[in-house]
mmCIF file of all heavy atoms in Angstrom:
data_model
loop_
_atom_site.group_PDB
_atom_site.id
_atom_site.type_symbol
_atom_site.label_atom_id
_atom_site.label_comp_id
_atom_site.label_asym_id
_atom_site.label_seq_id
_atom_site.Cartn_x
_atom_site.Cartn_y
_atom_site.Cartn_z
ATOM 1 N N GLN A 221 -36.681 6.532 -50.245
ATOM 2 C CA GLN A 221 -35.812 6.490 -49.065
ATOM 3 C C GLN A 221 -36.066 7.687 -48.149
ATOM 4 O O GLN A 221 -36.167 7.542 -46.930
ATOM 5 C CB GLN A 221 -34.349 6.491 -49.506
ATOM 6 C CG GLN A 221 -33.902 5.232 -50.204
ATOM 7 C CD GLN A 221 -32.405 5.238 -50.474
ATOM 8 O OE1 GLN A 221 -31.608 5.332 -49.547
ATOM 9 N NE2 GLN A 221 -32.025 5.159 -51.737
ATOM 10 N N LYS A 222 -36.164 8.870 -48.746
ATOM 11 C CA LYS A 222 -36.388 10.080 -47.952
ATOM 12 C C LYS A 222 -37.736 10.023 -47.239
ATOM 13 O O LYS A 222 -37.845 10.377 -46.049
ATOM 14 C CB LYS A 222 -36.328 11.324 -48.824
ATOM 15 C CG LYS A 222 -36.472 12.630 -48.035
ATOM 16 C CD LYS A 222 -36.389 13.848 -48.928
ATOM 17 C CE LYS A 222 -36.410 15.138 -48.105
ATOM 18 N NZ LYS A 222 -37.543 15.216 -47.154
ATOM 19 N N ALA A 223 -38.762 9.582 -47.951
ATOM 20 C CA ALA A 223 -40.093 9.500 -47.351
ATOM 21 C C ALA A 223 -40.095 8.531 -46.169
ATOM 22 O O ALA A 223 -40.711 8.794 -45.127
ATOM 23 C CB ALA A 223 -41.110 9.070 -48.403
ATOM 24 N N LEU A 224 -39.387 7.415 -46.319
ATOM 25 C CA LEU A 224 -39.307 6.432 -45.240
ATOM 26 C C LEU A 224 -38.534 6.983 -44.046
ATOM 27 O O LEU A 224 -38.952 6.824 -42.886
ATOM 28 C CB LEU A 224 -38.636 5.156 -45.758
ATOM 29 C CG LEU A 224 -39.507 4.254 -46.639
ATOM 30 C CD1 LEU A 224 -38.646 3.240 -47.382
ATOM 31 C CD2 LEU A 224 -40.569 3.547 -45.804
ATOM 32 N N LYS A 225 -37.417 7.653 -44.310
ATOM 33 C CA LYS A 225 -36.612 8.204 -43.217
ATOM 34 C C LYS A 225 -37.376 9.289 -42.462
ATOM 35 O O LYS A 225 -37.304 9.362 -41.226
ATOM 36 C CB LYS A 225 -35.300 8.755 -43.767
ATOM 37 C CG LYS A 225 -34.319 7.667 -44.214
ATOM 38 C CD LYS A 225 -33.038 8.250 -44.792
ATOM 39 C CE LYS A 225 -32.061 7.166 -45.194
ATOM 40 N NZ LYS A 225 -30.816 7.697 -45.795
ATOM 41 N N ASP A 226 -38.115 10.122 -43.190
ATOM 42 C CA ASP A 226 -38.927 11.159 -42.531
ATOM 43 C C ASP A 226 -39.981 10.516 -41.635
ATOM 44 O O ASP A 226 -40.236 10.985 -40.520
ATOM 45 C CB ASP A 226 -39.607 12.044 -43.577
ATOM 46 C CG ASP A 226 -38.628 12.960 -44.296
ATOM 47 O OD1 ASP A 226 -37.484 13.106 -43.810
ATOM 48 O OD2 ASP A 226 -38.997 13.516 -45.350
ATOM 49 N N TYR A 227 -40.580 9.457 -42.138
ATOM 50 C CA TYR A 227 -41.603 8.738 -41.362
ATOM 51 C C TYR A 227 -40.984 8.093 -40.125
ATOM 52 O O TYR A 227 -41.533 8.166 -39.018
ATOM 53 C CB TYR A 227 -42.273 7.697 -42.258
ATOM 54 C CG TYR A 227 -42.988 6.587 -41.536
ATOM 55 C CD1 TYR A 227 -43.962 6.849 -40.573
ATOM 56 C CD2 TYR A 227 -42.689 5.242 -41.824
ATOM 57 C CE1 TYR A 227 -44.620 5.808 -39.917
ATOM 58 C CE2 TYR A 227 -43.341 4.212 -41.180
ATOM 59 C CZ TYR A 227 -44.300 4.493 -40.223
ATOM 60 O OH TYR A 227 -44.951 3.476 -39.577
ATOM 61 N N PHE A 228 -39.813 7.476 -40.275
ATOM 62 C CA PHE A 228 -39.149 6.839 -39.137
ATOM 63 C C PHE A 228 -38.748 7.872 -38.087
ATOM 64 O O PHE A 228 -38.883 7.629 -36.874
ATOM 65 C CB PHE A 228 -37.919 6.059 -39.603
ATOM 66 C CG PHE A 228 -38.232 4.842 -40.435
ATOM 67 C CD1 PHE A 228 -37.329 4.388 -41.392
ATOM 68 C CD2 PHE A 228 -39.430 4.154 -40.272
ATOM 69 C CE1 PHE A 228 -37.605 3.267 -42.152
ATOM 70 C CE2 PHE A 228 -39.722 3.038 -41.038
ATOM 71 C CZ PHE A 228 -38.811 2.597 -41.990
ATOM 72 N N ASP A 229 -38.244 9.010 -38.528
ATOM 73 C CA ASP A 229 -37.848 10.064 -37.592
ATOM 74 C C ASP A 229 -39.047 10.519 -36.768
ATOM 75 O O ASP A 229 -38.953 10.707 -35.548
ATOM 76 C CB ASP A 229 -37.253 11.257 -38.352
ATOM 77 C CG ASP A 229 -35.860 10.965 -38.895
ATOM 78 O OD1 ASP A 229 -35.236 9.987 -38.410
ATOM 79 O OD2 ASP A 229 -35.403 11.697 -39.793
ATOM 80 N N LYS A 230 -40.167 10.706 -37.436
ATOM 81 C CA LYS A 230 -41.381 11.142 -36.746
ATOM 82 C C LYS A 230 -41.864 10.058 -35.783
ATOM 83 O O LYS A 230 -42.269 10.350 -34.644
ATOM 84 C CB LYS A 230 -42.484 11.450 -37.766
ATOM 85 C CG LYS A 230 -43.763 12.020 -37.171
ATOM 86 C CD LYS A 230 -44.736 12.406 -38.276
ATOM 87 C CE LYS A 230 -45.940 13.134 -37.700
ATOM 88 N NZ LYS A 230 -46.706 12.318 -36.732
ATOM 89 N N ARG A 231 -41.789 8.841 -36.215
ATOM 90 C CA ARG A 231 -42.234 7.715 -35.388
ATOM 91 C C ARG A 231 -41.380 7.582 -34.131
ATOM 92 O O ARG A 231 -41.895 7.330 -33.033
ATOM 93 C CB ARG A 231 -42.159 6.444 -36.236
ATOM 94 C CG ARG A 231 -42.685 5.186 -35.575
ATOM 95 C CD ARG A 231 -42.788 4.101 -36.633
ATOM 96 N NE ARG A 231 -42.743 2.771 -36.081
ATOM 97 C CZ ARG A 231 -42.645 1.660 -36.804
ATOM 98 N NH1 ARG A 231 -42.574 1.755 -38.125
ATOM 99 N NH2 ARG A 231 -42.608 0.468 -36.224
ATOM 100 N N LYS A 232 -40.067 7.769 -34.273
ATOM 101 C CA LYS A 232 -39.169 7.668 -33.113
ATOM 102 C C LYS A 232 -39.404 8.814 -32.131
ATOM 103 O O LYS A 232 -39.385 8.618 -30.921
ATOM 104 C CB LYS A 232 -37.710 7.654 -33.588
ATOM 105 C CG LYS A 232 -37.295 6.343 -34.261
ATOM 106 C CD LYS A 232 -35.823 6.308 -34.614
ATOM 107 C CE LYS A 232 -35.484 7.244 -35.752
ATOM 108 N NZ LYS A 232 -34.074 7.110 -36.194
ATOM 109 N N ARG A 233 -39.650 10.032 -32.662
ATOM 110 C CA ARG A 233 -39.878 11.194 -31.785
ATOM 111 C C ARG A 233 -41.164 11.049 -30.983
ATOM 112 O O ARG A 233 -41.227 11.466 -29.816
ATOM 113 C CB ARG A 233 -39.959 12.475 -32.618
ATOM 114 C CG ARG A 233 -38.635 12.935 -33.199
ATOM 115 C CD ARG A 233 -38.734 14.382 -33.675
ATOM 116 N NE ARG A 233 -39.817 14.570 -34.630
ATOM 117 C CZ ARG A 233 -39.697 14.439 -35.948
ATOM 118 N NH1 ARG A 233 -38.520 14.093 -36.466
ATOM 119 N NH2 ARG A 233 -40.725 14.655 -36.743
ATOM 120 N N GLU A 234 -42.184 10.453 -31.606
ATOM 121 C CA GLU A 234 -43.484 10.366 -30.945
ATOM 122 C C GLU A 234 -43.583 9.166 -30.018
ATOM 123 O O GLU A 234 -44.542 9.044 -29.258
ATOM 124 C CB GLU A 234 -44.589 10.301 -32.001
ATOM 125 C CG GLU A 234 -44.705 11.606 -32.799
ATOM 126 C CD GLU A 234 -45.840 11.563 -33.802
ATOM 127 O OE1 GLU A 234 -46.385 10.462 -34.036
ATOM 128 O OE2 GLU A 234 -46.193 12.624 -34.338
ATOM 129 N N HIS A 235 -42.611 8.273 -30.080
ATOM 130 C CA HIS A 235 -42.614 7.114 -29.194
ATOM 131 C C HIS A 235 -42.270 7.554 -27.774
ATOM 132 O O HIS A 235 -41.457 8.436 -27.571
ATOM 133 C CB HIS A 235 -41.594 6.078 -29.682
ATOM 134 C CG HIS A 235 -41.711 4.750 -29.001
ATOM 135 N ND1 HIS A 235 -41.164 4.492 -27.759
ATOM 136 C CD2 HIS A 235 -42.325 3.595 -29.387
ATOM 137 C CE1 HIS A 235 -41.414 3.249 -27.416
ATOM 138 N NE2 HIS A 235 -42.112 2.681 -28.386
ATOM 139 N N LYS A 236 -42.931 6.955 -26.803
ATOM 140 C CA LYS A 236 -42.662 7.267 -25.392
ATOM 141 C C LYS A 236 -42.124 6.032 -24.696
ATOM 142 O O LYS A 236 -42.826 5.020 -24.592
ATOM 143 C CB LYS A 236 -43.938 7.742 -24.701
ATOM 144 C CG LYS A 236 -44.581 8.964 -25.352
ATOM 145 C CD LYS A 236 -43.659 10.170 -25.352
ATOM 146 C CE LYS A 236 -44.338 11.385 -25.993
ATOM 147 N NZ LYS A 236 -43.445 12.539 -26.107
ATOM 148 N N PRO A 237 -40.867 6.065 -24.205
ATOM 149 C CA PRO A 237 -39.894 7.148 -24.355
ATOM 150 C C PRO A 237 -39.367 7.234 -25.784
ATOM 151 O O PRO A 237 -39.480 6.287 -26.548
ATOM 152 C CB PRO A 237 -38.779 6.733 -23.388
ATOM 153 C CG PRO A 237 -38.858 5.244 -23.352
ATOM 154 C CD PRO A 237 -40.319 4.910 -23.465
ATOM 155 N N VAL A 238 -38.778 8.377 -26.107
ATOM 156 C CA VAL A 238 -38.259 8.613 -27.456
ATOM 157 C C VAL A 238 -37.195 7.575 -27.798
ATOM 158 O O VAL A 238 -36.326 7.252 -26.984
ATOM 159 C CB VAL A 238 -37.666 10.041 -27.561
ATOM 160 C CG1 VAL A 238 -37.026 10.240 -28.928
ATOM 161 C CG2 VAL A 238 -38.755 11.076 -27.326
ATOM 162 N N LEU A 239 -37.281 7.032 -29.009
ATOM 163 C CA LEU A 239 -36.352 5.985 -29.435
ATOM 164 C C LEU A 239 -35.143 6.559 -30.153
ATOM 165 O O LEU A 239 -35.248 7.535 -30.893
ATOM 166 C CB LEU A 239 -37.066 5.011 -30.385
ATOM 167 C CG LEU A 239 -38.230 4.196 -29.809
ATOM 168 C CD1 LEU A 239 -38.918 3.429 -30.931
ATOM 169 C CD2 LEU A 239 -37.734 3.232 -28.741
ATOM 170 N N ALA A 240 -33.986 5.935 -29.930
ATOM 171 C CA ALA A 240 -32.790 6.330 -30.670
ATOM 172 C C ALA A 240 -32.810 5.665 -32.046
ATOM 173 O O ALA A 240 -32.324 6.211 -33.031
ATOM 174 C CB ALA A 240 -31.538 5.906 -29.906
#
Side-chain angles (χ1 to χ4, degrees):
Q221 291 186 59
K222 183 179 185 308
L224 284 165
K225 288 178 178 178
D226 289 346
Y227 160 54
F228 292 151
D229 287 343
K230 185 175 187 299
R231 184 169 156 189
K232 287 185 289 186
R233 288 195 304 270
E234 293 183 348
H235 191 279
K236 302 299 181 184
V238 175
L239 296 173

